[in-house]
Amino acid sequence: MATGRTHRPATRSRGIPEATVARLPLYLRALTALSERSVPTVSSEELAAAAGVNSAKLRKDFSYLGSYGTRGVGYDVEYLVYQISRELGLTQDWPVVIVGIGNLGAALANYGGFASRGFRVAALIDADPAMAGKPVAGIGVQHTDELEHIIESNGVSIGVIATPAGAAQQVCDRLVAAGVTSILNFAPTVLTVPDRVDVRKVDLSIELQILAFHEQRKAGEEAGPDSGAPAPAARAAAAAGDRKGPDGDMPAVMPA
């Protein structure tokens, strides 16, 4: 997931690089699975494979945490779970509000992984008056008129935006003004926020486009240079030449 801003500092407090911070949840997920299987220790190679990184990068990342493992034994799984959880701030309760309770917002509200990872859905908020009071995941939806009061009364510092793109910036501005300092943005737009606010953006269409790129590359490699068949990119360009949109030629790659 990319951040919504490009002017973040390269490192966080204690000198841990942002790239390392982004990998800590991957390590924690792998370690939690090991813990649930009562595995006491794990080697850097085994843990790196489970997290999808190389072992040298893992050892470097753990050195920022002051955890170096024991030669011939590996890392203590339970201690690492605690150490990474503490570093990520998961040893305390984090109340979260979700704004925009459409299909996506409702799915997020029903996600059971929040509570087990230290996040409590404190409120569900929507602009549609018809949604007010309706229970979603056992929580009554509240109108956006109550947003500021909800944030203050619940001590919320993390907000999730699942609104349409056109409403996202206004919702963001209200969240920030009310005291929210971290935002998870599912709306298909880039948010503008002050330096003190962290934004993480989840854009499923971008991820699918990246996968499509890799699929096209794999198809081209399978076809080979001597197959006689045009490469996928060439086929797409040729097909685009035959298609007309309301404003003329349709581009080969549609903008997001």
Side-chain angles (χ1 to χ4, degrees), residues 59-110:
R59 288 191 292 269
K60 179 67 173 177
D61 288 342
F62 284 1
S63 71
Y64 291 110
L65 306 180
S67 183
Y68 296 92
T70 303
R71 184 177 295 277
V73 176
Y75 294 95
D76 183 287
V77 170
E78 291 298 332
Y79 178 67
L80 266 185
V81 167
Y82 165 74
Q83 198 174 17
I84 295 176
S85 296
R86 182 184 62 181
E87 195 66 47
L88 289 173
L90 304 183
T91 54
Q92 59 180 297
D93 175 65
W94 291 103
V96 175
V97 296
I98 301 176
V99 185
I101 313 302
N103 292 334
L104 177 57
L108 292 171
N110 279 284

Side-chain angles (χ1 to χ4, degrees), residues 205-221 232-233 253:
S205 66
I206 287 178
E207 300 303 325
L208 286 170
Q209 288 174 43
I210 292 171
L211 289 176
F213 167 82
H214 289 296
E215 285 300 311
Q216 178 175 262
R217 293 288 291 270
K218 286 185 286 187
E221 291 170 359
V253 179

Side-chain angles (χ1 to χ4, degrees), residues 21 42 51-52 64 99 126 142 152 174 200 206 229 232 246:
V21 174
V42 62
Y64 291 110
V99 185
D126 197 273
Q142 296 174 264
E152 181 180 1
R174 289 182 63 186
R200 300 290 295 180
I206 287 178

Side-chain angles (χ1 to χ4, degrees), residues 3-244:
T3 58
R5 293 173 291 126
T6 58
H7 54 277
R8 293 295 301 162
T11 59
R12 301 177 72 88
S13 61
R14 295 186 55 203
I16 302 179
E18 289 284 354
T20 295
V21 174
R23 286 188 290 269
L24 291 182
L26 304 180
Y27 301 139
L28 182 59
R29 181 173 60 190
L31 287 162
T32 300
L34 293 171
S35 176
E36 290 172 349
R37 288 159 37 204
S38 300
V39 175
T41 59
V42 62
S43 70
S44 58
E45 290 77 12
E46 292 169 332
L47 183 54
V53 303
N54 66 64
S55 57
K57 184 174 293 184
L58 177 143
R59 288 191 292 269
K60 179 67 173 177
D61 288 342
F62 284 1
S63 71
Y64 291 110
L65 306 180
S67 183
Y68 296 92
T70 303
R71 184 177 295 277
V73 176
Y75 294 95
D76 183 287
V77 170
E78 291 298 332
Y79 178 67
L80 266 185
V81 167
Y82 165 74
Q83 198 174 17
I84 295 176
S85 296
R86 182 184 62 181
E87 195 66 47
L88 289 173
L90 304 183
T91 54
Q92 59 180 297
D93 175 65
W94 291 103
V96 175
V97 296
I98 301 176
V99 185
I101 313 302
N103 292 334
L104 177 57
L108 292 171
N110 279 284
Y111 173 57
F114 285 133
S116 64
R117 289 165 174 81
F119 301 97
R120 173 175 56 85
V121 178
L124 305 177
I125 304 172
D126 197 273
D128 183 359
M131 288 290 295
K134 287 189 175 181
V136 175
I139 303 172
V141 176
Q142 296 174 264
H143 192 263
T144 48
D145 288 348
E146 303 296 320
L147 186 147
E148 286 79 8
H149 171 71
I150 291 168
I151 291 172
E152 181 180 1
S153 60
N154 288 278
V156 174
S157 58
I158 299 176
V160 178
I161 296 177
T163 67
Q169 185 62 57
Q170 182 182 14
V171 168
C172 174
D173 292 343
R174 289 182 63 186
L175 288 172
V176 171
V180 168
T181 52
S182 293
I183 294 173
L184 181 60
N185 178 32
F186 284 89
T189 187
V190 176
L191 300 175
T192 300
V193 297
D195 284 342
R196 61 185 174 83
V197 177
D198 287 291
V199 175
R200 300 290 295 180
K201 178 172 171 56
V202 182
D203 193 320
L204 301 180
S205 66
I206 287 178
E207 300 303 325
L208 286 170
Q209 288 174 43
I210 292 171
L211 289 176
F213 167 82
H214 289 296
E215 285 300 311
Q216 178 175 262
R217 293 288 291 270
K218 286 185 286 187
E221 291 170 359
E222 290 171 2
D226 301 321
S227 66
R235 291 198 301 269
D242 296 331
R243 295 199 303 268
K244 298 289 184 179

